Structures are given as C-alpha cells and as structure tokens.
Amino acid sequence: MEVSNNYITMKGHIDGKPKEDDFGIKASQLSLSVEPGSNHIIVKNLYVSIDPFQINRMKSFSSLQESAKFAPDLTPDKVIDAYGVGKVVASGNTDFEKDDLVVGLLIWGEYSVLKGEYWLSKLDPMGFPLSYHVGILGMSGLTAYSGFFEVCKPKKGEKVFVSAASGSVGNLVGQYAKLFGCHVVGCAGSKEKVAFLKEKLGFDDAFNYKEVTDLKATLKRYIF
C-alpha cells in the first residue's frame, strides 16, 4: 500500500522571528512496507513537540548547533525532526511490532521512516493521554522534574528563582516548586508572560528581565 506522506520543511534559514510563510508542505509517495530483515521502521506520527530550541536549529548559525549534539542545524527543504509519539505501521526491527506505540525522534510530517541508527522506544501510556508524553511526561517535563527534585533537592519553604520561567521547562519547574511548598519568583521577557506566570501559574512574583538594568539588585529585592 502506498500513501502520500505530507511533511513540513523550511524554505530557507530563519534568522528572525518565524512566520508561517517561512515553511512549506511537501509530499512524497511512501510504501507502507519495509524490506524483510532490515531494521527499518515506519511510524504514523500522532503528536510531535514543537520545542523552543528548534528556532536555533533553523538559523543560518547558532552556537547551539555546535555545542549540543542533539540540536544540529536544519537544512532548508529537508525534513524537520522532533520528539514525538507515534504508532508503528511496519517494522523490520524485531524489537518493534505493528501497532506498537512508540516515542522518540520523529519528523514534522504524517509518517516517519526510520533507518540505520534511530532514537525510539516503546511507550506505555500509563493511562494518560498520548499528548502528555510530549509535554509534562516528555523531555520538558522530565528535565524540569529531575533538575528540580534530583539536582536542586529543595526543601519546603525555600525560595526558588526560575529563569526563562514561561518556557517549556521553566514553567513546570515553577509549578513543581509551588506544589512542593516553595516561594517562587520567575523572570520572563514580556509583561504578558509576567502576568501569565503570576495570574495563571501561581508564581508568587515575577519580573520582566528586559526592563532590569541590575539583575543582582533585582534578585535581592524579589527573593532575599
């Protein structure tokens, strides 16, 4: 069986704020079968995480492209990879069977064709919606949880400052800290984000770092 696999690409490198017309949709014919004995897997994508760090991969140059192995630069007109959840359609890898739910590195498209070395594992939804596994139970959520509880090892009543607090990791760190019983202050880059932190996420206080000239004095005023 063949299908038309629609996927999203960049038209060119993006050095400013991304716009809808920076991207395009391409299509290719895809056979939903794999060669026997190969390790190839075809996955029907269900959810992908559009993470903020991707913008640095889209630029013509970013230091992240050199410093982080998981974030190489993206090539215009080629597929864009992303962390996601999907269902196996066909597999030559004996570790995966048709209809297995999986999580790993997929693409911005309807189907992902995985060959050679790939990052993929079976997924047990544990009764949660699949979308949770690219959010609070995905990379952002687990990074926030392990960073806060395993590295910081907080104590109830302590004061916690969260930088980039409206981001995918920061907003969760702040919520974990509040639920744990800490006093939480965050910073973000706009008045709308500051309001979001205080009014929606329950931060005790927050400020716009773009309006601060002396960060040390500001932190002292908000935290100490």
Side-chain angles (χ1 to χ4, degrees), residues 3-208:
V3 297
S4 179
N5 184 24
N6 296 304
Y7 58 95
I8 297 173
T9 67
M10 301 185 303
K11 295 178 181 177
H13 286 113
I14 305 170
D15 290 311
K17 185 177 181 180
K19 305 182 297 298
E20 184 176 349
D21 60 9
D22 288 325
F23 302 93
I25 297 178
K26 292 193 170 187
S28 62
Q29 288 301 113
L30 174 65
S31 172
L32 297 182
S33 62
V34 297
E35 184 180 342
S38 73
N39 74 331
H40 301 173
I41 299 178
I42 299 175
V43 176
K44 172 65 175 176
N45 302 332
L46 301 177
Y47 295 94
V48 292
S49 180
I50 311 301
D51 295 296
F53 79 88
Q54 293 276 45
I55 187 59
N56 288 306
R57 301 183 63 202
M58 296 175 182
K59 294 178 179 179
S60 53
F61 174 77
S62 168
S63 58
L64 181 71
Q65 297 171 6
E66 296 183 341
S67 62
K69 291 182 178 180
F70 68 89
D73 60 309
L74 294 169
T75 303
D77 295 321
K78 299 295 184 182
V79 297
I80 300 172
D81 55 28
Y83 187 78
V85 169
K87 179 180 284 190
V88 174
V89 174
S91 175
N93 185 328
T94 56
D95 291 333
F96 298 91
E97 297 180 355
K98 186 177 184 295
D99 293 329
D100 279 347
L101 289 172
V102 291
V103 61
L105 202 59
L106 305 178
I107 69 163
W108 290 15
E110 294 184 88
Y111 294 89
S112 296
V113 180
L114 308 178
K115 301 178 180 180
E117 293 185 7
Y118 40 77
W119 175 24
L120 195 73
S121 59
K122 289 185 180 181
L123 173 65
D124 176 3
M126 301 181 291
F128 294 103
L130 293 178
S131 60
Y132 284 24
H133 294 274
V134 294
I136 194 167
L137 297 177
M139 288 197 296
S140 295
L142 297 179
T143 298
Y145 184 92
S146 60
F148 183 62
F149 289 107
E150 302 298 328
V151 178
C152 292
K153 299 186 184 300
K155 297 179 182 178
K156 286 182 172 61
E158 285 187 326
K159 295 179 179 179
V160 174
F161 169 64
V162 185
S163 178
S166 65
S168 61
V169 174
N171 89 84
L172 292 173
V173 170
Q175 292 180 80
Y176 292 155
K178 281 298 298 178
L179 290 170
F180 192 67
C182 296
H183 180 88
V184 183
V185 175
C187 74
S190 72
K191 64 180 181 180
E192 292 81 9
K193 291 178 180 180
V194 168
F196 173 71
L197 294 176
K198 294 193 291 184
E199 297 169 11
K200 296 293 186 181
L201 300 188
F203 280 53
D204 294 290
D205 218 332
F207 62 89
N208 183 347

